[in-house]
Every structure is written in C-alpha cells, then in structure tokens.
Amino acid sequence: MLMKFYNKAGGLFMLFAFLLTMNGWAQPIQKTAQGLKFAARQMDISVEFYSENTVRVYKTPIGKPYLKTSLSVVAVPSKVAVRYAKKGQNPVIKSSKIQVEVNVETGGVYFYDASGKELLQDKDEGTQFSPINDAGTSSFKVRNAFSLDKDEAIYGVGQIMDNKFNRRNSSHLMKNENMSTYSPYFLSIKGYAVFWDNYSISKFEDKPEELSFESLGHCADYYFMFGANTDGVISELRGLTGKAPMLPLWAYGFFQSKERYHTQGESLDVVKKYRDLKVPLDVIIQDWRYWPEYNKTDSAWNSQTFDKERFPDPKKWVDEIHSLNAKLLIVTWPGFGPKTPQRKEFDSKNMIINFDTWPPKSGARPYDVFNPKALDIYWKYLNKGIFSYIGNDGWWLDSTEPDHINVKESDFDLPTHLGSYRSVKNGFSLMHNKGIASNQRASNHDKRVVILTRSGFIGQQRFGSNTWSGDVTSSWEMLQKQVPAALNYTLMGIPNWNSDIGGFFAGRWRDNGGNKNPEFQELYVRWMQFGAFSPMMRSHGTDLPREIWNFGERGSWCFDAQEKSIKLRYKLLPYIYGTSWDVSENNGTFMRPLIMDFIADQRTHEIGTEYMFGRSILVAPVTKYQVRKSPVYLPKGSGWYNFWTNEYSVGGQTVETDAPVDIIPLYVKAGAIIPFGPDVQYSTEKKWENLDIRVYEGANGSFTLYEDENDNYNYEKGAYTTIVLKWDQKSRTLNISDRKGSYTGMLAKRNFNVELITLNANKTGAKTKNVRSVEYKGERISIKF
C-alpha cells in the first residue's frame, strides 16, 4: 500500500510512509527529504543523499537514537532530486548519478551506478552492535562489512610503511602513531570510495569474503561517494570534508632543517651561507628546545617562549631572516611540561589528557584538543609568545598523534571533552591543526596558514596542513616505502605530503664516514630528487647535519647533484604553483598515482613506485643503491618524452632509462605544456616576466598559468589571474588565452619563449630547436608551428 500526500505547492511532504508486506508482517518505511529510514535486525537505518554522487548511511541500535556531530564532515546535504522506486520487494532511491537499494529484512544496502551496474554491497546482516563498557560509559563495538568484487583493487586506508600499493587482503589496527597515519577510508578502482566516519582506535580488515571496519561508538556512520574516476571521488570527498586552500608560493621552495639549531645565530648563519653559495632556499625551520630550561628536566617543555641566552632577541632574529628573503617555521608541541603556564591553566580547567607524552621523564602531558575552549587557550599562548611577537611564517606541529610513552591500557580510558581517549584518538591531529589554523586565519589575513604536521586525518586538508611521514630511518628500504605510502595517503583527499629528505635517523651512517660516506651521499641525493617532486621539499634529520655544504664543496658530485635538484624545483615553480591552483580550485592532486590518469591500463593498478606530479610529469624515483639504469613503465593511452633527452616513446611498455646519480627518471606526457621560471635564490626574487614554455607534441593539451599576490587570502576575493595555454595538435598551434582577473602588482606584459618538443626531436641525438618568442600583453595570441 502506497500513500502519497501533497502540500500546496504540489510537492511531496518530507515524511510519509508506505507498507511492504513480507512473510506475513508489515515493515514501515519512512521517506525523508532525500532518502529513507527503516528498521531491520534491531537497527534503525537511515539512507540519505548528500549530493548527486554521495550517500550517507547511518545506523543505530533500535531504540537508542544518537545525534552524531562529525569532526571531518563540514558539508550539509545539497538539494538532490531523489526518485523512489521498487526492485522486487526492496525500495530503491535514485539520483541522476547513482542508485541505492535497501533490503528491509536484512539491513543490506546495495549501491549501483546510474545504469544499474553494481558498485558495492553493504552486506546483508553485515552490521553488528556489541555492547561494551567504554570507561564507564555504555557504548558499542560497531562492525560493518562490505562485499567487493574478487579482483577489485582498493587504495587509501592510510600512510602505511609496508611497500604495498593495492590494499586488498590486508588488515590494520588503525591507531595513529609516529609513521603510521590512518583514516578509515578506502577507494576502489571502480570509481567509488567509502569513508567510515569514526575517530576511535579501529580495525580495518580485507579478506576474500568481505571488507570490514570495526570501531568503538554509538552508531555506524559512513559515506559512499561515487566519482566515476579517482579525480571524481576526491572531488566528492573534498566537497564533503573541505577544500584544500592555496599555500603561499614560498611554501613550494626549498626548506632546510635539522634536529636542531641551538641558537638564533646558528640558524641565521645557515640562511646566510645558502645566500653566499647562491643555492636557492626559502625556509629555515627551528626545531625543539628553543625554550628555557632545555638542559635541566624539561619541566618547561614547550613553553612557547624563548631562552634568553640562546635566543636573546627573537624578534630581531626573525627580522634578519626576513631581510634575507627567507621564511621561518617554528615547532610547537601538543604536550606541556608541568612548570609552563599553559599546563597550569589547562590543569586548572581539566583540559589535560593525563598520560605521559614526549619527552621521557619530563612530566609533559597533552592538552585536550577536543575541547573548543582548549584550542583557543592554546592559541592564546602561541600567539602571544610567538606569532604576534616575532612574526614567524608557519608552524611545525610535531607529535600530533600525539607521542604516548609509558603506555598503560588505562590511559585510553582517560576522559576528553568528547569521550574516552580511546574513542577519539585518531582525530587528535585533525583537531590540533584546526585550532591553530582557524585561530591564525581569524587573526591575520595577510599570511596564509602553513602547517607541517606529523599525523593527519581526512578533513585536515582544509587547514593548509602538510603531513610528513614521521621519524623514518635513513635507509634504502625506507626510501622505497615512502612512495606507495605517499600515494595511498594522497588518495584520501589530503594533497600535501612530504618526508624527511635523507631519513630522520641517520645513526647507522654517523660512525661510518658520516656525510662523506658514498652510500649515504647517494641515498641523500636520491631522496632529495624524490623530495623535489613532492608537495613540500624539506631536508631534515638527526645524527648528521643536512645542509648542502656538509656533503662537500661545489664541484663535488654530491653537492652538485643536490644543487641540480633544488634548482630544478625552482625552475618548475610556475608549473607547481599552477598545480597548486588546480588542487585548490578543481580538487586536483599533486602526487597522482598512475590509476588517476591511466585507469584503463590494468598494469597501473598495482604500480605504487611511479606517479604523476601534477597532470604532466611522470616521476620514477630511484630507490636502490648504485642503480644507473632504471626500468620505467610508461602507461598506455599516451606518448612519452624523456624529460632530460626529449626522446619519444610510445606508452604501454617498460623502458630502461639512464639514471646517473644526478638524474631522476622523468617523463612528460604528449600534449603537455610546462612553464619554466627564471633562475632564482628564493621563490619571489624575480617576477615571471620571461617564461620558457615547453610544448610536447603528439596530443592536444592545456595548462593554466596561475598568479596572485603570493601570500595572503586576497585570491579568495578574486585577486588572481589565469592564462590558459592550449595546444592544438592538428593545427600545431599554441593558443594563449586572454588573461582573466587582476591583482595588485600583476605584470602588464611579459615574454613567452615557446619551444615545441617534436616527435623526432632527439632521434639522431641532435637537439633540434623549434622556438618562438612572443610578447604577451594580456590579449589572446596564437603561435603556429
């Protein structure tokens, strides 16, 4: 029996019911504004469209309603024209993009594309709520199982150091720690993803018969997102959990750091020496213990103030760094020593989570990031002691899991503002980043938020955060593991990632020749080459100094190879900044696994050793010692040019590529347009008045050159320009569009030096030049070759 009720406008009321008779009993189904609700197997189940492509499924034990507030999801449901139908005895709800069928007897939820092709099954009887006592609060162990195709590849899950890309047939305790950063999420090769919206210590397990999440909580709450392809999925995910803002141009330059610079003079001298050597540098980072009492008991750990002997004039220190056209990131931790004023205030307001955090024997404890008032208190001290005082340019948020030492099981029972620590642990970094980013953004419009953080969670991308892979060891094995770990992490919609160039712990090399050990030098160079094609290029580590001159003088192979990578990074800044705009505006991705652009090529489904950097450059890092020829797989669906030689190869084959120690294998996709900037010592030293543009023939292609004021939020008000460059292969013409937009300080005119890289550019070994130079004044130009 179907009952319809209409309001005066002729639309359906938000709620009505129809009865389905099954096996002699009547099952009520409630139709909601954009979905339906029903009860099955002692559960109340809600299925609701959030967009044409995204559906939220929400389950609670019957008679135990729970109002869930998400830490990750910021979207509200958009208006979707939902159609209702039946499939046998099962209700079906449809948008223009996907269909969802529910089994009112078993609680199963089945997802299809618009044509009816099955995508995923939330299994019949696959959800269980098992009562559990969570630190004195009645809660549940919640498990939800899904059925996947036998050979269906999946990705995401987290940054996992196991050297695997496809995450099928794996299981993980999802507990964010140093070097292990999880979000309960997977992305399918079929063009959909599932985000299990839960922050507790959880289990992920994929077996041939099912994939499951198991967590602590009061509800089963997940989002099914269909994008048809990987870019589409990430666009849905960012629409749900927040877009990634633009970082300033300087954030794509070279960062120098180590554990640690002891005085303000030491770090300042490092910047001066880079300038004297004319090796490009944009950022210096100050690591821990710049605060007082560092050599006593660490009872003043993270006081967010400066030791007067070692940092006698921190404002002058930062001003001098700025006068050298460099920027400063400064570390701050979530834990506080017992003698700090922050700790005393947090203690007095019950805003400390009372377990031991780093460093050992200090008495340091982390603050309760889940309390909004605690986030504001944290910023109050950070702003007064550092940001508004010295004018630093960004933050290094260390230990954002956070570190947990002298672990006791009872520590996870400790209360937070949102429940037991166990129930929210994996959201710690998300909330810590939120507090600092949101408060800085509210207090200063002229500096974009830049955060380097050691952990992450889905949604963190909206805070200008760049996750690094943690305190990894300095080894070839660990370098290999960085690549697939990074690719899976970025497939979770978080575009900014990096690692310590050279690996953090280098003790194995310290007593074996140190920086002059040939194998360590080669490892460092290969890691730097990888860093040049990461969203942040940052040298850091302990045991051995990492500044370039410690490896030799200019003219030595190790110095020169490093300088070559750093200079290439700076030459590519117009390409990188345009990619940053693509990430921010179009929900793009910096480090693009090959499945993103070549999913039709099944060989790419298992390749986690190569990736596209932006949409045009294929990167194949060398991760083994003394390799001088490296096999590189070139995907089907494109032609490919060796970046260094311009030699052309067809896709769908593995090529043996020359990889001398100063060369990282790079290939450029046919049809690509890549702008190259001037030689500079820092990112904004020269305006882009003369840009070299390489066009790689063989297919149509385009690139958007993006420019703005480099470091403020005026771009959000329209203060930026875009110039679209399009290559038409048939007519062999580069069309440069009218410039759109404007901003203070923009160039009125510039020169484009366009070089066409042709299919036979290097067949005989001779580098043929096909160059046109034009003056551009903001009006459309066509250049025919």
Side-chain angles (χ1 to χ4, degrees):
M1 177 180 177
L2 179 63
M3 298 181 291
K4 293 183 179 180
F5 301 91
Y6 291 86
N7 60 19
K8 292 181 179 179
L12 288 169
F13 272 108
M14 290 183 65
L15 244 269
F16 74 93
F18 61 91
L19 300 178
L20 294 176
T21 301
M22 299 179 180
N23 301 322
W25 58 276
Q27 171 65 50
I29 307 292
Q30 287 186 322
K31 177 185 174 185
T32 62
Q34 297 190 161
L36 53 80
K37 294 180 179 180
F38 66 102
R41 297 186 60 251
Q42 298 299 305
M43 292 183 296
D44 289 317
I45 302 173
S46 169
V47 182
E48 180 183 22
F49 276 92
Y50 256 59
S51 73
E52 296 281 351
N53 297 71
T54 295
V55 172
R56 183 188 188 188
V57 178
Y58 191 76
K59 308 175 187 179
T60 55
I62 201 161
K64 293 185 180 292
Y66 180 73
L67 182 61
K68 164 77 174 292
T69 300
S70 179
L71 303 181
S72 292
V73 175
V74 293
V76 296
S78 58
K79 183 65 176 176
V80 178
V82 178
R83 293 171 290 138
Y84 293 80
K86 288 177 66 178
K87 186 176 181 181
Q89 293 299 311
N90 291 341
V92 178
I93 54 176
K94 302 179 180 181
S95 73
S96 63
K97 302 294 184 182
I98 53 178
Q99 307 177 33
V100 186
E101 175 188 354
V102 300
N103 188 316
V104 294
E105 285 192 278
T106 67
V109 184
Y110 321 133
F111 300 91
Y112 308 87
D113 68 12
S115 70
K117 179 181 178 182
E118 185 175 88
L119 298 169
L120 177 69
Q121 286 190 12
D122 179 342
K123 290 183 67 175
D124 295 334
E125 303 180 2
T127 305
Q128 292 92 37
F129 287 90
S130 303
I132 192 172
N133 184 310
D134 176 30
T137 299
S138 294
S139 188
F140 297 92
K141 182 172 68 176
V142 188
R143 185 178 187 274
N144 210 102
F146 302 88
S147 291
L148 279 65
D149 293 345
K150 179 182 177 181
D151 299 321
E152 181 179 346
I154 61 169
Y155 313 95
V157 182
Q159 171 198 275
I160 304 168
M161 302 294 180
D162 62 1
N163 222 14
K164 295 179 181 178
F165 182 45
N166 184 352
R167 301 251 56 98
R168 288 307 300 267
N169 301 309
S170 65
S171 60
H172 306 280
L173 178 64
M174 306 188 86
K175 182 181 179 185
N176 284 351
E177 303 286 2
N178 186 354
M179 298 187 291
S180 298
T181 300
Y182 296 99
S183 289
Y185 161 96
F186 69 91
L187 180 149
S188 169
I189 202 72
K190 293 167 70 173
Y192 72 83
V194 171
F195 171 43
W196 174 255
D197 192 9
N198 188 290
Y199 318 99
S200 72
I201 299 170
S202 302
K203 292 180 181 178
F204 167 89
E205 185 173 27
D206 179 62
K207 301 182 291 186
E209 63 270 24
E210 66 180 22
L211 179 153
S212 65
F213 293 109
E214 184 178 286
S215 302
L216 177 69
H218 300 275
C219 58
D221 184 12
Y222 70 85
Y223 295 82
F224 173 89
M225 296 160 284
F226 178 65
N229 56 43
T230 308
D231 276 306
V233 169
I234 288 176
S235 184
E236 286 297 306
L237 183 59
R238 298 229 189 105
L240 191 67
T241 64
K243 294 175 74 73
M246 288 289 293
L247 298 183
L249 180 61
W250 60 259
Y252 300 108
F254 178 59
F255 290 57
Q256 182 62 64
S257 179
K258 74 172 183 179
E259 193 280 300
R260 60 193 159 88
Y261 299 117
H262 292 75
T263 68
Q264 68 181 60
E266 183 183 2
S267 57
L268 186 61
D269 286 345
V270 168
V271 178
K272 289 177 179 178
K273 190 158 186 177
Y274 270 97
R275 293 290 179 254
D276 290 342
L277 287 169
K278 299 191 183 306
V279 175
L281 175 77
D282 260 273
V283 184
I284 192 80
I285 303 181
Q286 179 59 50
D287 203 346
W288 61 8
R289 288 177 170 156
Y290 52 84
W291 46 78
E293 298 187 4
Y294 77 101
N295 62 346
K296 297 180 182 178
T297 63
D298 282 320
S299 59
W301 179 266
N302 195 37
S303 66
Q304 298 166 340
T305 58
F306 295 91
D307 180 86
K308 292 181 180 179
E309 291 185 5
R310 296 175 297 114
F311 293 83
D313 194 342
K315 181 66 171 68
K316 181 181 178 183
W317 168 53
V318 178
D319 288 345
E320 289 182 311
I321 290 172
H322 288 165
S323 73
L324 292 166
N325 298 295
K327 307 294 184 182
L328 174 70
L329 261 61
I330 193 160
V331 79
T332 184
W333 291 60
F336 294 96
K339 290 187 178 180
T340 59
Q342 296 94 322
R343 172 66 174 279
K344 292 174 183 177
E345 181 169 358
F346 284 136
D347 273 332
S348 72
K349 296 178 178 178
N350 296 317
M351 294 178 179
I352 284 290
I353 309 176
N354 278 304
F355 64 78
D356 293 332
T357 190
W358 189 267
K361 300 180 181 180
S362 66
R365 302 283 172 88
Y367 79 115
D368 184 359
V369 299
F370 304 102
N371 188 325
K373 293 181 180 179
L375 297 180
D376 292 340
I377 292 170
Y378 190 99
W379 174 255
K380 176 183 70 174
Y381 287 99
L382 192 64
N383 186 39
K384 179 181 178 181
I386 301 179
F387 187 65
S388 65
Y389 173 35
I390 66 172
N392 60 301
D393 304 284
W395 306 103
W396 180 4
L397 305 187
D398 208 340
S399 186
T400 54
E401 308 86 14
D403 276 308
H404 191 167
I405 58 179
N406 305 319
V407 179
K408 303 184 293 291
E409 186 60 30
S410 60
D411 290 347
F412 298 100
D413 294 335
L414 291 168
T416 75
H417 184 71
L418 295 180
S420 73
Y421 180 56
R422 179 186 295 105
S423 70
V424 291
K425 173 182 167 49
N426 287 344
F428 194 100
S429 180
L430 174 68
M431 299 308 292
H432 185 44
N433 278 255
K434 175 184 178 180
I436 293 169
S438 300
N439 276 294
Q440 179 184 320
R441 179 71 194 270
S443 68
N444 190 306
H445 183 80
D446 295 326
K447 285 188 177 183
R448 296 179 196 168
V449 176
V450 176
I451 291 175
L452 173 64
T453 181
R454 199 174 72 180
S455 189
F457 198 87
I458 284 175
Q460 196 162 290
Q461 73 278 353
R462 64 182 182 262
F463 302 129
S465 302
N466 194 310
T467 304
W468 97 93
S469 58
D471 299 340
V472 298
T473 57
S474 181
S475 69
W476 291 100
E477 294 78 12
M478 186 55 78
L479 174 56
Q480 292 172 27
K481 292 176 180 178
Q482 300 304 292
V483 186
L487 299 184
N488 273 311
Y489 189 72
T490 61
L491 284 174
M492 300 196 303
I494 310 175
N496 294 313
W497 181 95
N498 71 107
S499 64
D500 293 345
I501 290 175
F504 181 70
F505 288 112
R508 63 184 296 185
W509 309 104
R510 183 178 52 206
D511 301 322
N512 189 24
N515 295 78
K516 301 303 171 60
N517 180 298
E519 185 176 353
F520 176 66
Q521 289 187 328
E522 185 167 329
L523 173 64
Y524 189 80
V525 164
R526 292 303 195 190
W527 212 313
M528 179 163 280
Q529 292 167 353
F530 172 53
F533 291 91
S534 299
M536 179 183 285
M537 185 183 189
R538 182 184 58 89
S539 169
H540 180 68
T542 192
D543 300 312
L544 292 171
R546 306 303 172 93
E547 298 83 11
I548 188 171
W549 52 86
N550 291 293
F551 295 85
E553 297 179 351
R554 180 174 277 117
S556 64
W557 73 266
C558 189
F559 184 107
D560 291 352
Q562 290 180 59
E563 185 177 33
K564 184 174 185 175
S565 288
I566 295 170
K567 286 190 170 184
L568 176 58
R569 173 77 171 197
Y570 278 83
K571 291 288 286 184
L572 285 170
L573 280 180
Y575 174 79
I576 294 170
Y577 207 47
T579 299
S580 178
W581 171 245
D582 181 47
V583 168
S584 181
E585 179 69 7
N586 304 315
N587 295 312
T589 300
F590 273 109
M591 300 177 76
R592 301 173 59 83
L594 299 184
I595 59 167
M596 295 191 75
D597 298 288
F598 306 99
I599 199 166
D601 183 348
Q602 290 193 352
R603 288 189 62 180
T604 67
H605 298 186
E606 301 293 332
I607 295 177
T609 55
E610 305 173 11
Y611 58 95
M612 300 296 292
F613 186 66
R615 298 182 186 268
S616 298
I617 301 175
L618 187 151
V619 183
V622 176
T623 59
K624 294 182 179 179
Y625 184 41
Q626 293 184 328
V627 165
R628 299 296 180 263
K629 279 191 174 292
S630 185
V632 178
Y633 180 70
L634 304 177
K636 292 179 185 177
S638 178
W640 297 94
Y641 291 85
N642 185 309
F643 176 85
W644 304 101
T645 67
N646 292 335
E647 182 179 359
Y648 178 82
S649 300
V650 296
Q653 63 170 324
T654 298
V655 294
E656 285 292 320
T657 302
D658 288 337
V661 71
D662 64 338
I663 293 290
I664 179 174
L666 303 172
Y667 281 83
V668 181
K669 187 169 62 173
I673 301 169
I674 299 181
F676 293 82
D679 289 321
V680 292
Q681 298 304 298
Y682 54 92
S683 59
T684 58
E685 182 184 16
K686 300 174 184 176
K687 291 189 175 183
W688 297 342
E689 294 176 302
N690 291 281
L691 289 183
D692 295 329
I693 309 292
R694 288 189 199 169
V695 178
Y696 294 81
E697 76 164 351
N700 294 337
S702 68
F703 180 82
T704 299
L705 181 68
Y706 171 88
E707 295 167 285
D708 61 19
E709 294 170 10
N710 296 327
D711 190 6
N712 57 44
Y713 287 100
N714 290 341
Y715 76 92
E716 294 182 343
K717 301 175 182 178
Y720 65 88
T721 62
T722 56
I723 302 170
V724 179
L725 295 86
K726 287 189 175 182
W727 171 251
D728 184 276
Q729 178 60 35
K730 184 176 181 180
S731 65
R732 291 170 60 84
T733 301
L734 179 68
N735 296 303
I736 304 175
S737 75
D738 292 332
R739 180 179 55 228
K740 292 185 178 180
S742 64
Y743 63 90
T744 300
M746 63 179 276
L747 291 169
K749 61 181 180 179
R750 57 155 42 98
N751 293 319
F752 286 128
N753 306 303
V754 182
E755 179 181 2
L756 180 65
I757 310 298
T758 61
L759 295 174
N760 61 355
N762 204 32
K763 278 188 175 179
T764 63
K767 292 188 177 180
T768 58
K769 289 281 187 179
N770 204 347
V771 178
R772 305 281 190 277
S773 294
V774 296
E775 184 179 65
Y776 176 78
K777 296 181 179 180
E779 297 176 347
R780 177 184 171 90
I781 295 177
S782 293
I783 305 169
K784 187 173 177 61
F785 287 86

